[in-house]
Amino acid sequence: MKDFDTIQVTILATSDIHGHLMPIRYVDNEATDYGLLKLATRIDQTRQEKEHVLVIDNGDLLQGTPFAYYHACLDQSTSHPIVDIMNQIRLDAFIPGNHEFNYGLRFINRAWGQSDYPWLSANVLSQETNEPYFGCPYRIFTLPGGAKMGLLGLTTSYIPHWEQPANISGLLFDSVVSAAKKWVPYLKQNEGADIIIVSYHGGFERDILTGEPNEEQTGENEGWRLCHEVEGIDVLLTGHQHQRIEGVRIGNTLVVQPGYQGACLAQVDLSLQRDGHGAWFLMDSHARLQEAQEMQADPALVARIQSCENNTQSWLDQPLCEVRGEMLVIDHMKARLEEHPLIELINLIQMEASNAEISCTSLFDNLAPGFGPQVSMREVTANYPFPNTLKVLRLSGRDIREALEWTAAYFDCTDDGTIIVNPSYLYPKPQHYNYDMWEGIEYVINVSRPIGSRIEELRYKRQPIDPEGEFEVVMNHYRASGGGNYRMFRDKPIVREVTVDMTEMIAEYLTKQGLVHARANGNWKVYS
């Protein structure tokens, strides 16, 4: 057999980097085992070792760290350093994720315009033309001997349920399955693609091993359907759920997912062979995940972004105020079982900014450190990592009770009465941000009772809340849109909006106060 009758191709995929370039934690600048600049070292090595290498990023790249926020919102005059790094890596394609839209289309268009690589998404459409917004939704790679690989990009279609309408004005989000059913055959029949790779910023609505549903079937994740309903997908690169999936096969499709924050690099190795009629086919495929902790950050790329990093660090070190009393989060579970001063403070800031008497917010993850005696921007961004703004909704007392019942589902109870996190909030990815804590009302959660009937003693101004009464409630825009399956909030009247980013709002409040006291009024309780 002649050499050109077989071809070896390697695909390297990243996903859900969320702004983590440097291998550090911004809350304290301690070193970490993850970061894109670590993966860049392995990408460069692989390109030197192998002849045919494709590098793909699967979205949620440009949001998630203070570094990403600073260069999205505060320094818009220079080229975006994360895009610049991807240009240096020689990225072959980028699939926008849901968090790319957090900063609006002006930001997206700027980042897209600075990219030396195509942005691919077959189901993000222009409302005006009904065509893919980012232009051609696929890329064809022609290999020696004439073999063709088609790469199709897809983005979770659930974005309108989370994102502020202004940020996605003029866009339509088609079903990824519908888009794939259109474009996969097109790639084969019209472009002559021998191999089909789909890079999908989305995950799986079913357990990939058992096929059992693992979440509500909303369309947020449709990876299982893609594998079973769209014929001809050889490799499916996935993300969004922050899982590590190392070469599982669903039907005839090889599936990978490389975690998040640059902790892993997915490597897919393909062997293509030409048959007796001259047609190419996939003879073999396998995949593995390479851990970033085994790599060193690329020193040339570190030097390239050092000035941008220095600017970010200077901004983070800006002092804001002093705190009297204990506002550090020592035990994150305890902070969700007993009202923590940090949560009360954020709720009070939301209420003051919006002139609403009721507020809800979350302790977004288990990394939030709380506030120490001296607060800087570093602590603000560590505790509030999302670019949220606020909306005030007009809700009925019945809506409030329904929302509290839904938030109470975050907890589960063991046989001995110990309160734990409901496993559905931990898998396929942690969703601590979907447990809300409220201010301006009094309520009790009894975890020993069945989900849907856990709320006791719900009161407003010391009186039982009127189911038919109307109340103005402030919350972040993600929650106000029904994000986290808070369906009772969808399409409710928006009384007013506060369009200032919460990070800026918190910083402004703390600066104005100069001194804040750690207090919690204990207006809610959780027990079993």
Side-chain angles (χ1 to χ4, degrees):
M1 182 178 292
K2 297 179 181 180
D3 288 343
F4 58 76
D5 285 337
T6 60
I7 303 173
Q8 308 298 319
V9 179
T10 295
I11 300 170
L12 301 178
T14 56
S15 190
D16 299 273
I17 297 295
H18 284 290
H20 289 83
L21 268 66
M22 297 286 283
I24 60 171
R25 294 194 325 164
Y26 281 94
V27 63
D28 53 16
N29 283 339
E30 289 294 317
T32 67
D33 291 330
Y34 51 82
L36 177 63
L37 297 191
K38 281 176 164 280
L39 302 184
T41 298
R42 182 56 186 153
I43 290 171
D44 183 60
Q45 291 171 348
T46 304
R47 278 211 162 108
Q48 294 180 39
E49 296 166 358
K50 298 178 180 290
E51 186 175 0
H52 306 298
V53 179
L54 304 180
V55 183
I56 301 163
D57 185 86
N58 195 45
D60 278 7
L61 171 68
L62 302 174
Q63 175 277 336
T65 58
F67 183 89
Y69 176 87
Y70 182 84
H71 291 96
C73 299
L74 303 180
D75 180 6
Q76 301 177 14
S77 60
T78 58
S79 178
H80 198 296
I82 301 178
V83 174
D84 179 60
I85 289 297
M86 285 305 194
N87 288 339
Q88 296 303 309
I89 289 174
R90 291 181 287 134
L91 193 68
D92 289 292
F94 174 66
I95 287 70
N98 52 293
H99 281 291
E100 264 67 60
F101 296 88
N102 287 170
Y103 302 119
L105 284 184
R106 182 178 178 183
F107 167 77
I108 280 180
N109 291 335
R110 178 166 65 94
W112 179 25
Q114 293 168 0
S115 302
D116 293 341
Y117 43 86
W119 289 38
L120 309 179
S121 185
N123 67 305
V124 178
L125 309 178
S126 165
Q127 194 170 30
E128 182 179 351
T129 65
N130 208 40
E131 295 295 326
Y133 180 78
F134 297 105
C136 188
Y138 62 86
R139 185 172 182 183
I140 297 293
F141 300 91
T142 302
L143 302 168
K148 290 186 176 182
M149 293 183 57
L151 171 66
L152 180 69
L154 298 169
T155 302
T156 176
S157 61
Y158 208 61
I159 290 172
H161 294 276
W162 306 312
E163 196 52 73
Q164 296 193 76
N167 285 350
I168 53 174
S169 177
L171 298 182
L172 299 174
F173 295 84
D174 191 15
S175 159
V176 298
V177 175
S178 297
K181 286 181 177 179
K182 171 184 175 180
W183 288 102
V184 169
Y186 181 91
L187 289 175
K188 287 184 170 292
Q189 297 164 13
N190 295 65
E191 293 285 3
D194 302 290
I195 306 298
I196 300 293
I197 312 299
V198 172
S199 188
Y200 166 45
H201 187 84
F204 296 92
E205 71 277 32
R206 293 178 179 269
D207 185 284
I208 59 175
L209 299 179
T210 68
E212 292 296 316
N214 59 16
E215 65 178 29
E216 189 176 353
Q217 309 301 292
T218 61
E220 176 180 353
N221 299 295
E222 296 184 282
W224 183 269
R225 288 188 62 203
L226 282 172
C227 293
H228 282 276
E229 297 183 24
V230 184
E231 186 177 353
I233 301 176
D234 296 295
V235 178
L236 180 64
L237 311 174
T238 63
H240 186 57
Q241 291 176 320
H242 299 179
Q243 295 188 80
R244 297 187 181 198
I245 300 176
E246 192 169 24
V248 173
R249 293 188 186 276
I250 301 179
N252 296 320
T253 303
L254 181 68
V255 171
V256 296
Q257 190 172 139
Y260 70 116
Q261 296 181 340
C264 289
L265 179 68
Q267 177 172 328
V268 180
D269 293 302
L270 307 176
S271 296
L272 282 62
Q273 184 173 323
R274 195 192 331 239
D275 65 19
H277 302 285
W280 290 92
F281 66 96
L282 184 61
M283 181 175 64
D284 188 30
S285 62
H286 57 275
R288 62 191 177 107
L289 299 182
Q290 300 194 53
E291 298 286 340
Q293 65 183 9
E294 301 172 0
M295 310 167 196
Q296 296 295 318
D298 185 310
L301 296 183
V302 171
R304 190 174 183 89
I305 66 165
Q306 194 60 61
S307 63
C308 296
E309 175 68 14
N310 292 343
N311 290 339
T312 302
Q313 293 289 347
S314 296
W315 171 66
L316 287 172
D317 286 333
Q318 293 178 26
L320 301 176
C321 76
E322 297 181 16
V323 171
R324 297 285 170 81
E326 184 59 75
M327 207 179 285
L328 291 171
V329 181
I330 307 301
D331 184 330
H332 291 83
M333 184 64 172
K334 184 177 180 181
R336 297 184 179 102
L337 292 170
E338 301 174 11
E339 186 177 27
H340 191 280
L342 175 70
I343 298 301
E344 175 152 312
L345 176 63
I346 293 175
N347 270 322
L348 292 176
I349 292 172
Q350 292 187 170
M351 294 161 78
E352 178 176 296
S354 65
N355 198 32
E357 293 188 337
I358 303 174
S359 172
C360 62
T361 191
S362 302
L363 186 62
F364 294 108
D365 55 40
N366 284 344
L367 300 175
F371 290 154
Q374 302 286 333
V375 182
S376 67
M377 283 299 304
R378 190 178 302 279
E379 287 75 33
V380 172
T381 58
N383 287 289
Y384 210 105
F386 298 111
N388 288 333
T389 57
L390 298 178
K391 292 187 178 182
V392 178
L393 301 185
R394 180 176 294 115
L395 303 176
S396 69
R398 182 174 291 104
D399 294 328
I400 292 174
R401 179 178 288 276
E402 187 178 346
L404 288 168
E405 290 288 4
W406 183 244
T407 208
Y410 172 81
F411 296 113
D412 204 350
C413 198
T414 64
D415 291 340
D416 65 359
T418 301
I419 300 175
I420 61 173
V421 178
N422 187 326
S424 67
Y425 283 76
L426 299 174
Y427 179 84
K429 71 175 180 181
Q431 299 176 54
H432 303 297
Y433 51 82
N434 282 331
Y435 169 67
D436 288 340
M437 292 160 279
W438 291 59
E439 190 63 41
I441 57 175
E442 301 86 45
Y443 61 96
V444 175
I445 298 176
N446 183 349
V447 183
S448 67
R449 299 180 65 176
I451 289 176
S453 60
R454 290 179 167 178
I455 301 303
E456 301 175 345
E457 303 178 27
L458 176 55
R459 297 177 181 273
Y460 173 68
K461 294 185 177 180
R462 300 185 179 180
Q463 297 297 319
I465 202 163
D466 179 3
E468 305 302 324
E470 291 188 342
F471 305 88
E472 293 185 0
V473 181
V474 60
M475 61 192 71
N476 67 61
H477 74 266
Y478 168 80
R479 185 67 78 239
S481 68
N485 291 320
Y486 282 78
R487 297 179 180 274
M488 70 294 301
F489 295 155
R490 293 179 186 171
D491 301 320
K492 289 298 188 293
I494 299 172
V495 179
R496 53 189 169 275
E497 299 184 48
V498 183
T499 57
V500 178
D501 186 279
M502 271 299 292
T503 301
E504 298 175 35
M505 196 182 305
I506 294 170
E508 181 180 349
Y509 177 91
L510 296 178
T511 302
K512 179 181 177 182
Q513 297 297 317
L515 174 67
V516 295
H517 294 271
R519 299 188 177 109
N521 61 12
N523 62 295
W524 54 267
K525 181 174 74 171
V526 180
Y527 79 103
S528 64

